[in-house]
């Protein structure tokens, strides 16, 4: 079975021209699912690199839906929006309806199972009722019974974050985590939130992950060496994933 590459990029980063170039060419290089981050008011579960990208984008990008429509025109693979539920509590129906009208496939709220645990099933149902897929985010801090339930409810895949925030290399045993969680998850298991090096990636894949979600590494590469270098990294990661098919 082909291993999945979920490629993350903050909407409009570093500017619209380079953003469109990155998402289009990353698909050509083997991205299976495109994850686009909409800057929240407070990115409590994102690391410093992605927070910095949010700040850079919000300084000039005020309309999120127009570039999302453009991305939908340019790529045919599934698109999942990553943002925070707490930002959309007052207009969730409208937000989900607009995503559906644009043709966005799914939405992932990293705060859903952490900050809204008492009502998460109602929110998942609401997402699906609006014609949008609900991709659920879990991690080591969540109880096993919740992860089991979430894996059955999650669309496309279950996202399992190995570290508390993105791009912060807190020491963890990635392979041990994935071996244990693989037995609980009744879905495709995509691992991210802290897979910042090839060693972690290989450990996750060897332990049974069905794919990886990468974002911080691409943003760092754009900052240091430009979009073309970030695309080369997409190609390299796709090659690693293909070794495990």
């Amino acid at each position: 079975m082909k291993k999945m590459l979920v490629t993350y990029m903050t909407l409009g980063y570093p500017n619209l021209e380079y953003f469109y170039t990155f998402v289009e060419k990353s698909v050509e290089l083997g991205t299976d699912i495109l994850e686009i981050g909409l800057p929240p008011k407070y990115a409590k579960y994102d690391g410093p690199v992605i927070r910095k990208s949010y700040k850079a984008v919000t300084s000039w990008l005020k309309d999120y839906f127009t570039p999302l429509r453009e991305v939908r025109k340019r790529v045919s693979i599934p698109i999942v929006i990553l943002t925070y539920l707490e930002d959309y509590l007052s207009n969730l129906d409208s937000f989900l309806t607009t995503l559906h009208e644009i043709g966005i496939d799914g939405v992932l709220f990293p705060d859903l199972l952490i900050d809204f645990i008492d009502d998460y099933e109602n929110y998942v149902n609401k997402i699906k009722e609006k014609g949008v897929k609900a991709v659920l985010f879990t991690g080591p801090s969540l109880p096993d019974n919740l992860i089991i339930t979430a894996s059955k409810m999650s669309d496309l895949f279950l996202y399992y974050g190995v570290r508390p925030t993105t791009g912060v290399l807190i020491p963890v045993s990635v392979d041990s985590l994935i071996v244990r969680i693989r037995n609980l998850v009744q879905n495709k298991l995509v691992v991210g939130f802290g897979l910042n090096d090839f060693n972690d990636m290989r450990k996750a894949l060897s332990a049974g992950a069905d794919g990886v979600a990468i974002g911080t590494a691409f943003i760092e590469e754009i900052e240091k060496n430009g979009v073309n270098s970030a695309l080369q990294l997409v190609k390299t990661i796709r090659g690693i994933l293909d070794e495990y098919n």
Side-chain angles (χ1 to χ4, degrees):
M1 182 183 295
K2 181 184 178 183
K3 297 294 186 180
M4 299 167 60
L5 174 56
V6 179
T7 294
Y8 170 91
M9 185 51 59
T10 296
L11 181 70
Y13 185 81
N15 57 53
L16 284 177
E17 179 186 354
Y18 289 153
F19 169 72
Y20 293 140
T21 296
F22 178 82
V23 297
E24 278 190 287
K25 292 191 176 180
S26 73
V27 173
E28 295 173 9
L29 292 169
T31 290
D32 298 296
I33 295 178
L34 187 62
E35 185 181 16
I36 298 177
L38 301 191
K41 293 176 182 175
Y42 177 44
K44 65 180 79 173
Y45 302 121
D46 286 294
V49 173
I50 290 182
R51 287 189 188 190
K52 184 178 177 182
S53 74
Y54 287 154
K55 185 176 181 180
V57 167
T58 54
S59 67
W60 59 270
L61 182 63
K62 307 306 178 185
D63 171 17
Y64 294 166
F65 294 133
T66 297
L68 282 180
R69 289 188 175 92
E70 183 63 28
V71 172
R72 182 70 285 175
K73 292 176 184 177
R74 294 184 182 217
V75 303
S76 59
I77 65 169
I79 298 173
V80 174
I81 297 303
L82 186 149
T83 193
Y84 286 73
L85 176 59
E86 68 177 2
D87 279 18
Y88 295 93
L89 292 176
S90 63
N91 64 335
L92 185 59
D93 286 358
S94 173
F95 176 64
L96 294 171
T97 297
T98 302
L99 292 184
H100 177 64
E101 290 173 349
I102 291 172
I104 298 300
D105 298 270
V107 64
L108 189 160
F109 296 122
D111 56 342
L112 176 57
L113 293 181
I114 300 172
D115 299 331
F116 300 90
I117 183 61
D118 293 334
D119 297 312
Y120 82 91
E121 291 187 59
N122 291 331
Y123 284 116
V124 169
N125 290 334
K126 178 171 286 192
I127 292 167
K128 295 185 180 189
E129 286 168 3
K130 294 298 181 181
V132 180
K133 297 184 185 302
V135 182
L136 300 187
F137 173 84
T138 61
S141 64
L142 299 181
D144 287 356
N145 62 336
L146 179 58
I147 292 174
I148 292 169
T149 302
S151 75
K152 297 174 184 177
M153 298 176 68
S154 189
D155 298 314
L156 297 175
F157 58 89
L158 182 76
Y159 193 129
Y160 187 78
V162 295
R163 291 183 170 90
T165 60
T166 58
V168 179
L169 293 181
I170 297 170
V172 297
S173 178
V174 171
D175 42 356
S176 297
L177 282 174
I178 304 308
V179 165
R180 195 187 74 79
I181 212 69
R182 176 72 273 180
N183 294 323
L184 303 178
V185 172
Q186 300 179 40
N187 200 335
K188 292 181 179 178
L189 177 63
V190 169
V191 179
F193 252 62
L195 289 183
N196 274 31
D197 59 56
F198 298 151
N199 187 44
D200 269 359
M201 207 176 300
R202 291 181 186 279
K203 285 181 178 180
L205 294 167
S206 296
D210 296 301
V212 297
I214 306 296
T216 296
F218 296 141
I219 292 174
E220 285 182 326
E221 200 61 35
I222 289 173
E223 286 181 349
K224 295 175 183 176
N225 302 305
V227 170
N228 288 337
S229 184
L231 289 167
Q232 182 59 47
L233 183 57
V234 173
K235 184 177 180 180
T236 299
I237 292 172
R238 178 73 262 172
I240 292 173
L241 291 168
D242 290 344
E243 294 173 11
Y244 291 85
N245 292 344

